[in-house]
Amino acid sequence: MLLRCPECSQKVSSSASRCPACGYSISSGVQVVNGLGNVASSSLAVVWWIFVIVLLCSLVVSCFSS
């Protein structure tokens, strides 16, 4: 599995003890690149876009109803 280095954001193997790009000591607190970490951010993006679309529709309706 690949992890993301918190120092330089490069992809690092989960079996590595240090980032090969910057030498940062890898710990359990690094961000997962391909895993459940991406699900939360994509869900948040979907909620954000739904909010924006509803807001724009409300503005359009209020402009044409006056």
Side-chain angles (χ1 to χ4, degrees), residues 46-64:
V46 169
V47 170
W48 173 250
W49 280 110
I50 290 173
F51 173 75
V52 169
I53 290 170
V54 168
L55 182 65
L56 289 174
C57 289
S58 299
L59 288 172
V60 168
V61 168
S62 67
C63 286
F64 285 114

